[in-house]
Amino acid sequence: MKRPHDLSPALLSRARILCVLLAALLAGCARSPDRHAFPPAGTPAAWSTPAASAEVPTRDWWTTLDSAELNAFIDEALAVNPDLEAAVARLDAAIAQAAIAGADLSPGVGLGFDSQRRQQNFVGFPIPGQGDEVLTTRSTSHAVSFNVSWELDLWGRVRAGQRAALAEVQASAADFNGARLSLAAQTAKAWIALTETRRQLELARSTVDNHRQTAGQVRDRYERGLRSPLDLRLAQASLHDAEALAALRGAELDAAKRGLEVLLGRYPSGTLQAIAELPDIPVSVPAGLPAQLLERRPDLIVAERRLAASHSRVQEAKAALLPRISLTASGGRSSSELDDLLSSQFNVWSLAGNLAQPLLEGGRLQANVDLSEARGREALAAYASTVLRAFSEVETALAAESHLEQREQDLLHSVEQSRAALVLAEDRYRLGLEEMVTLLESQRRLLNAESQWIAVRRQRLENRVDLHLALGGGFSIEPDAARVSKNPVPLPLN
């Protein structure tokens, strides 16, 4: 079976090829902005939940659930999901924009060829012997030229714009990683929901069978005059309640199937099948360290790279206030005969320099500086908010681990006691020692305990998925690639 991070070659190859082309185009010209060490103050050395492990989550975190079915579903979702295709397109667009931004760092080179034939009339000039005729001349000219233009980026305006564009590429790459991580988590949750709903339906159908059996026994005794009409009515009502619950569970199962099919890129036919049991919860809770979160989690990388891009935009806007110096040169040959273009005697050339200093722009350039600075402050606040939200999500998921585990154990004990109580209630009712209400209450308690136990197992699995999502588990940028200040262009995706 293919590994999930090796999937979707059609999605990944374009990004990798474009990254290589961009590296060849911009090598040695500009580098992406350095990473921001924010926020170092107040970040604890470990998570507040003492049970958290310093082990870093695995890349393919869903494999810890030990389900070949789930692995296959996630493989399929990562290969065909249209939302992931859209994320790849956004990455392609960001790479193209970075190439555009860096184009001015290199001289613009062009080759031209011009050929024209012209007729001129000389009116008003008295030419002896011409009479009333107009003097006319015809001329032909051919020229080939090689043109070069280059802006001397003395103040770093173009380089700042390119650094901002490169940071946006890295943000888009992290966005793509985040989209893959989110899709894997959504698929895992949809599969867990489908499995849990199917188990709930089986429980509801089993309950219907039990109530149908009980109602049959009560009817038989009622017809023999051993039970009152009230017992029969209560038994029939409980049977219909169980049948209504089974119908509800059937509708929930149908909706869960269609939801997972959409994530898999399939038509939502509602025919998808799933296993009958939820997997066991892995004992280990890998959480890493708080500081590692800044290097792993895609949305934090996105926010930091956009903050870095905003700083470069400020530098670009300030440099636009200063003079621009450009050099242009052209060389070629010009003649009235095509054959002469091969002779060096018809060489022509020109060399020019240009300096342009903006004076009055109606405040546009300064307003652009103010706009860039305001957006930089906005990016800083957004980054701070994203960091705090990320820490909160991890802490919440870690804390929920122990609470959900304790609740599952308590509900399991409740199921065991309720099942034993039902056996006693059935025996005592058969002997005439208990009322029908006691028997029905025992059945209701067992159904409720089993249903809650199945539900809390689902909640534990979903919380583990949320924890891996909060930790940025899977599809993380490699450590070398995270240190973007050392690379002239963003590295290809994993």
Side-chain angles (χ1 to χ4, degrees), residues 47-49 51-52 189 285-287 297 389-405 459-471:
W47 303 106
S48 61
T49 303
K189 283 188 173 183
V285 187
R297 186 160 156 153
R389 183 172 63 252
F391 286 153
S392 174
E393 290 175 359
V394 175
E395 292 284 7
T396 300
L398 286 174
E401 279 277 336
S402 59
H403 298 303
L404 290 172
E405 181 181 9
Q459 292 171 13
R460 284 196 66 192
L461 286 166
E462 288 185 340
N463 185 72
R464 184 60 64 91
V465 172
D466 288 338
L467 177 58
H468 283 291
L469 190 62
L471 291 169

Side-chain angles (χ1 to χ4, degrees), residues 1-8 60 62-63 71 75 180:
M1 181 182 295
K2 294 183 294 183
R3 304 301 299 166
H5 53 272
D6 292 331
L7 297 173
S8 311
D60 307 336
W62 52 89
T63 59
N71 295 342
D75 286 358
R180 297 174 71 195

Side-chain angles (χ1 to χ4, degrees), residues 267-288:
Y267 183 82
S269 60
T271 59
L272 189 68
Q273 299 299 319
I275 62 175
E277 291 296 335
L278 292 168
D280 294 330
I281 306 294
V283 176
S284 175
V285 187

Side-chain angles (χ1 to χ4, degrees), residues 414-479:
S414 177
V415 169
E416 295 170 350
Q417 296 300 321
S418 296
R419 185 174 290 117
L422 177 58
V423 172
L424 291 175
E426 289 174 340
D427 291 341
R428 292 177 63 84
Y429 179 76
R430 190 178 304 111
L431 296 174
L433 301 177
E434 289 291 349
E435 298 293 333
M436 185 66 184
V437 173
T438 303
L439 175 59
L440 295 179
E441 176 64 16
S442 300
Q443 291 175 332
R444 185 194 66 79
R445 282 181 176 273
L446 178 58
L447 171 63
N448 185 59
E450 285 188 308
S451 179
Q452 289 193 57
W453 178 69
I454 295 172
V456 78
R457 292 193 66 206
R458 169 189 174 177
Q459 292 171 13
R460 284 196 66 192
L461 286 166
E462 288 185 340
N463 185 72
R464 184 60 64 91
V465 172
D466 288 338
L467 177 58
H468 283 291
L469 190 62
L471 291 169
F475 309 123
S476 62
I477 294 179
E478 294 292 344

